[in-house]
Amino acid sequence: KKANENIDIVDLPGIYSLSPYTPEEVISRNYILDEKPDCIINIVDATNLERNLYLTTQLLETDVPLVIALNMIDVIRKRKDEIDVALLSKKIGVPVVAISAQRGENIDELMNEAINAYNKGRTATTVLDDGELSHLIKDCKIAFNAVGVDSPLFHAVKLVENDEIEVKNHPSLVNIVNEFKLTFEDDVFGSDLEAIIADSRYKYITKQ
């Protein structure tokens, strides 16, 4: 019982992406999309932001309320480093709470933010809005909306990546991506759209 609310916490496997390459990734992905939790608490290692925020950029593409728990903030302070939590929250667009899980620091604040996030609800966003694939992603999102799929933005991005789960579950929509590929080639990655999206995510993270 936290923040005067009864809360069930499901501890999902520690992962770095929602791609279907490991059993842990598939378990976490299926739970988020199928069980529709009230809120995701995305625990991010403050000492390794770049690697951990990659998953965050994917979670943003679901419609599930999201709060980032910036863990190991005590280690950051000990190093005499500094992370502007308010600025990070503003840039990413979801609440960020600096915590130390080991010391139990700011856990009540984190739970309060999770409850607030659930009450407010959230509409999916993507860091790929300004990229060269944004038009294709929007077209795919429209197609997923038309067939009544929840979190259509997430599924749209995954279909553009040629994600094996999306291709298997929605074969009738694959042609949207295939037709685009016939007219598109990137100078560095050619027609490997998954690589282009991954590169775009890392470029976004590096800017933050």
Side-chain angles (χ1 to χ4, degrees):
K1 188 175 175 75
K2 289 282 185 182
N4 298 316
E5 298 277 353
N6 290 314
I7 299 172
D8 292 325
I9 297 176
V10 177
D11 185 14
L12 295 174
I15 55 174
Y16 291 106
S17 84
L18 292 174
S19 299
Y21 299 131
T22 69
E24 291 80 9
E25 288 170 334
V26 174
I27 289 168
S28 295
R29 170 177 168 156
N30 288 346
Y31 186 87
I32 291 167
L33 296 175
D34 297 340
E35 300 300 323
K36 302 178 182 63
D38 293 328
C39 182
I40 298 169
I41 297 176
N42 177 206
I43 301 175
V44 171
D45 181 351
T47 67
N48 194 356
L49 271 181
E50 185 168 321
R51 186 178 185 190
N52 282 260
L53 286 177
Y54 188 90
L55 173 62
T56 304
T57 66
Q58 294 181 320
L59 293 172
L60 288 170
E61 290 160 359
T62 74
D63 290 325
V64 182
L66 175 65
V67 173
I68 296 173
L70 199 61
N71 194 24
M72 299 178 68
I73 200 66
D74 52 322
V75 176
I76 294 294
R77 284 197 297 262
K78 191 173 181 180
R79 292 179 180 176
K80 300 194 183 321
D81 289 334
E82 188 175 339
I83 296 175
D84 190 330
V85 175
L87 181 61
L88 184 63
S89 175
K90 183 178 178 181
K91 286 186 172 184
I92 296 176
V94 297
V96 178
V97 180
I99 70 165
S100 170
Q102 186 176 28
R103 295 171 180 263
E105 182 179 338
N106 287 347
I107 303 302
D108 284 342
E109 180 186 347
L110 174 64
M111 300 312 296
N112 281 323
E113 286 292 351
I115 293 167
N116 290 338
Y118 160 67
N119 287 329
K120 288 178 182 177
R122 195 178 71 83
T123 301
T125 60
T126 181
V127 302
L128 308 170
D129 266 339
D130 300 324
E132 52 195 342
L133 300 181
S134 60
H135 185 73
L136 173 61
I137 291 170
K138 287 173 184 174
D139 285 348
C140 290
K141 181 185 175 186
I142 290 169
F144 276 109
N145 265 324
V147 295
V149 171
D150 291 329
S151 290
L153 178 58
F154 175 85
H155 291 283
V157 174
K158 285 298 177 190
L159 188 68
V160 172
E161 290 180 336
N162 200 36
D163 178 281
E164 62 185 47
I165 294 176
E166 297 301 336
V167 170
K168 179 182 177 182
N169 291 343
H170 305 283
S172 63
L173 303 183
V174 175
N175 281 340
I176 299 174
V177 178
N178 288 342
E179 288 176 10
F180 176 85
K181 279 186 176 181
L182 294 175
T183 63
F184 175 85
E185 187 162 311
D186 180 80
D187 291 342
V188 177
F189 298 105
S191 60
D192 186 346
L193 304 188
E194 183 179 13
I196 295 168
I197 286 176
D199 183 62
S200 297
R201 293 190 195 280
Y202 279 119
K203 282 179 178 175
Y204 168 83
I205 291 166
T206 302
K207 288 178 185 175
Q208 302 317 305

